[in-house]
Amino acid sequence: MLAENLGVRYLVRYHRNEVTLRETFVRMLPGRRTPAKWRGEFWSLTGVNLVAYPGEIVGIVGENGAGKTTLLKALAGICGADTGRVVVRGRVGCLMSFGVGFRPNLSGRENVYLNGTLLGLTKREIDQRIEEIGAFSELGDFFEAQVRTYSAGMKGRLGFSIAIHIQPDVLLLDEVLTVGDASFRAKAGTIVERFRTEDKTVIIASHNMPMLRQRCTRCVWLERGTVRMEGDPREVTEAYAEYARGDGAEE
Amino acid sequence: MSVAPQSVRIIEGDSPFAHLQRLLGRRDTVRYLVTSQLKAGQRDKVLGHLWNLLDPLLYMLVYFFVFGVLFGQGRGRSVDFMLYIISGVLTWRFFDASINQCVMCVRSNRGLIQEINFPKSVFPVAVCLARLYDFCWGLVVLLLVLLVTGHFPGINVLWLPFLVAILVAFAMGLGFLAAYVGAFFADTQNVMTVALRLWFYTSPIFYHVSGPNALEPLTKHPNIKAIYMSNPMACIMEGVRDVTLNSRPPDLEYTVYAASVALATLIVGFCVFTRGEGKFAKYV
């Protein structure tokens, strides 16, 4: 199947802090100009253009707060775009963090069903994959135990298992390949490689430069919500590393 | 770009119809959410599923104790009035629990909302259906109690599913609105608690609105009664009592009125809620 991120261009208005009823009422008063502080507009991404074709592994680098996670969320459709639009051909699999969305009172198996249907699978599709997901996550008997008894790493493995087994055409990963123990990391790495050979698209946001250099076919450097540099992974990561060093030295 | 290839997904502001279609495509999700809510409540309990029956039964006993024994209304019109209160309280409990849980349903699922893209409208729907499950058990207990006390509801009890459907539509519509506002303002919960309390006392639960024992202002002024019955919950409760306790069909005028208000609320609520679909992930 074909996976393509055609022209992506949007601005995201993000995180309006400390909005209370009082402020809302005050803002509604006629003739009252809202102070900029209260409007609290923050454009996490401004006019980002990004195209990713099947068979590509795109790495996204940038400082904390540069908009990496927001970009992934907008690509996944979790955040609506405030300007521009996102077009994705095919199914998007998205792994943002380690199992935040799991229900602690349900077993691993039940959570797979819940998350799977939320991700857009039908019950039958999950029935077919459930054993595979359980095996891949290496949870063993804990697969039937309530998720509240899991360690952070176990939740992460289960989350990653679900994300890859929905057979997405576009896989979005945020920092996940750098966490988890060494053997699981290696396994995750081979999965990403398999996605590339199967002509699917993977987009990884990470601070792990060696991993990005090794895995990616292209890199994008985000800074304050815009693309600062795009191109060969080696060139981009080196330029970014140099910039980060220079930044540190100045302070 | 007006004609998009079939499998292309465009994330943009969509019409309520598109949202409805997406929601209907997630019936499996709703089912798992409902069962997960019900299971989460039962799993660790010693008595497990028995609580489905025990809970409404014990609830009824509390009201029987308070009003029958403490307030001494147990003798005169006794059992009838007990059943009157119990049917009202059961109906109210479904409504109250649905709205209260809807207020927080977007916030309490923050983790999922920030991780996965899916129609958020599954949450209010799942909340209301889970509460409906409890409510149905309550109705079963009520009907059993009716049989035990010698009240045979008769053929008119067949109206009951219809009245319950009106109630669910109304609760779900308000639930959508409450969930939307609750997602953006944490204060909503406090406001709703007070509002629901007021609503509770202005609904016919502890007093009669018609017949010889009706509340005095309601019998004296027809206008006041008309205003009082503009509360859809009053219409629904009276209807539920008619078809169970009184073995007669529900008042047509009230029922049609309640049904239209419920439908309008559901449509407006859903449309408002869908406006927030893309925004929830940013603000919760």
Side-chain angles (χ1 to χ4, degrees):
Chain A
M1 234 168 93
L2 193 72
E4 226 171 2
N5 285 349
L6 308 162
V8 179
R9 193 186 122 76
Y10 51 85
L11 306 146
V12 177
R13 190 159 13 103
Y14 201 59
H15 275 307
R16 201 167 45 166
N17 286 328
E18 292 160 27
V19 182
T20 65
L21 274 179
R22 189 180 75 95
E23 289 171 12
T24 310
F25 286 133
V26 170
R27 199 180 312 152
M28 285 192 298
L29 291 178
R32 175 135 193 172
R33 279 201 53 201
T34 322
K37 181 170 71 98
W38 282 6
R39 230 183 298 125
E41 227 172 61
F42 176 69
W43 295 86
S44 180
L45 294 169
T46 48
V48 172
N49 291 296
L50 180 75
V51 187
Y53 295 100
E56 274 195 305
I57 300 179
V58 181
I60 297 173
V61 297
E63 296 175 298
N64 288 327
K68 298 189 297 292
T69 304
T70 310
L71 176 60
L72 291 186
K73 283 186 175 177
L75 291 176
I78 295 170
C79 287
D82 289 279
T83 66
R85 63 205 192 100
V86 178
V87 181
V88 178
R89 192 173 291 177
R91 178 139 60 191
V92 180
C94 184
L95 191 56
M96 287 298 171
S97 50
F98 276 124
V100 179
F102 289 136
R103 298 270 162 129
N105 282 327
L106 296 181
S107 71
R109 180 183 295 269
E110 287 163 330
N111 267 299
V112 171
Y113 274 99
L114 183 57
N115 274 28
T117 56
L118 283 170
L119 285 160
L121 292 184
T122 62
K123 185 182 174 295
R124 188 182 298 172
E125 284 175 300
I126 302 172
D127 285 338
Q128 287 164 359
R129 294 164 205 189
I130 184 89
E131 297 312 327
E132 213 181 317
I133 293 174
F136 186 88
S137 62
E138 295 172 359
L139 285 170
D141 291 339
F142 273 99
F143 195 47
E144 314 296 338
Q146 292 186 26
V147 166
R148 64 172 181 200
T149 61
Y150 287 20
S151 72
M154 289 159 81
K155 282 187 213 167
R157 294 207 299 267
L158 187 58
F160 188 75
S161 255
I162 299 172
I164 59 161
H165 281 94
I166 67 166
Q167 290 171 0
D169 304 297
V170 180
L171 183 64
L172 307 172
L173 300 172
D174 190 5
E175 285 293 350
V176 285
L177 293 180
T178 53
V179 200
D181 57 31
S183 70
F184 193 76
R185 252 191 344 248
K187 202 158 132 187
T190 52
I191 291 288
V192 170
E193 205 54 40
R194 202 186 75 203
F195 267 75
R196 195 173 65 80
T197 55
E198 285 174 1
D199 248 9
K200 292 176 174 179
T201 310
V202 183
I203 298 181
I204 309 173
S206 179
H207 289 292
N208 186 340
M209 297 303 148
M211 187 273 287
L212 287 178
R213 265 202 294 276
Q214 189 195 338
R215 301 268 178 229
C216 295
T217 56
R218 189 153 57 96
C219 261
V220 176
W221 173 6
L222 275 186
E223 191 183 285
R224 285 183 201 162
T226 52
V227 178
R228 170 140 172 190
M229 193 175 166
E230 185 178 348
D232 179 70
R234 184 165 294 277
E235 283 172 27
V236 174
T237 50
E238 272 167 12
Y240 172 68
E242 201 164 300
Y243 164 82
R245 266 199 305 277
D247 214 34
E250 272 168 37
E251 279 169 17
Chain B
M1 285 297 287
S2 58
V3 182
Q6 205 183 6
S7 57
V8 170
R9 188 169 56 94
I10 301 173
I11 301 155
E12 266 174 337
D14 266 322
S15 72
F17 288 106
H19 282 292
L20 182 63
Q21 212 167 17
R22 242 171 284 159
L23 173 63
L24 291 177
R26 296 302 183 104
R27 284 186 301 260
D28 280 339
T29 310
V30 172
R31 200 170 68 224
Y32 284 115
L33 277 174
V34 172
T35 47
S36 90
Q37 277 188 37
L38 296 174
K39 267 187 195 162
Q42 306 276 349
R43 176 151 295 173
D44 297 330
K45 291 174 185 165
V46 180
L47 294 178
H49 290 291
L50 206 56
W51 278 111
N52 287 330
L53 287 170
L54 271 182
D55 187 66
L57 202 60
L58 291 176
Y59 216 76
M60 289 176 188
L61 280 178
V62 168
Y63 279 93
F64 185 76
F65 176 70
V66 171
F67 286 91
V69 179
L70 284 186
F71 286 105
Q73 283 167 320
R75 269 141 272 163
R77 47 205 163 93
S78 65
V79 181
D80 282 352
F81 192 56
M82 294 290 51
L83 292 171
Y84 183 89
I85 290 180
I86 286 163
S87 57
V89 167
L90 269 182
T91 314
W92 179 262
R93 249 184 14 132
F94 162 75
F95 184 70
D96 187 77
S98 300
I99 305 286
N100 264 327
Q101 289 187 19
C102 278
V103 171
M104 294 311 285
C105 70
V106 175
R107 274 172 187 270
S108 55
N109 288 294
R110 171 184 290 151
L112 279 177
I113 288 174
Q114 296 193 338
E115 253 183 31
I116 304 173
N117 175 29
F118 59 96
K120 264 63 85 180
S121 45
V122 294
F123 290 127
V125 173
V127 163
C128 291
L129 291 182
R131 299 288 68 87
L132 175 64
Y133 177 84
D134 291 343
F135 183 43
C136 287
W137 277 106
L139 287 175
V140 167
V141 173
L142 177 69
L143 291 176
L144 287 178
V145 171
L146 281 176
L147 288 178
V148 168
T149 54
H151 294 68
F152 295 100
I155 190 77
N156 282 310
V157 81
L158 294 177
W159 283 94
L160 195 56
F162 180 61
L163 291 166
V164 170
I166 296 175
L167 178 61
V168 172
F170 187 53
M172 209 181 269
L174 279 182
F176 273 128
L177 288 173
Y180 179 80
V181 179
F184 298 111
F185 302 104
D187 328 40
T188 315
Q189 201 172 28
N190 305 54
V191 177
M192 280 316 282
T193 310
V194 178
L196 283 170
R197 193 101 301 243
L198 180 66
W199 201 337
F200 177 74
Y201 287 113
T202 51
S203 298
I205 296 167
F206 292 123
Y207 47 81
H208 290 278
V209 285
S210 52
N213 301 316
L215 222 57
E216 212 164 280
L218 291 172
T219 50
K220 274 185 182 161
H221 311 285
N223 287 340
I224 291 186
K225 171 128 195 215
I227 293 170
Y228 185 87
M229 291 309 287
S230 70
N231 169 11
M233 286 306 286
C235 302
I236 294 168
M237 280 177 192
E238 287 296 279
V240 168
R241 281 167 183 148
D242 276 338
V243 302
T244 51
L245 309 186
N246 306 330
S247 322
R248 62 169 180 238
D251 186 286
L252 185 67
E253 200 182 317
Y254 289 156
T255 309
V256 170
Y257 167 76
S260 24
V261 170
L263 192 64
T265 313
L266 185 59
I267 292 169
V268 170
F270 184 72
C271 292
V272 168
F273 188 85
T274 54
R275 288 188 53 201
E277 288 277 3
K279 291 190 263 177
F280 290 139
K282 297 180 210 169
Y283 295 124
V284 294

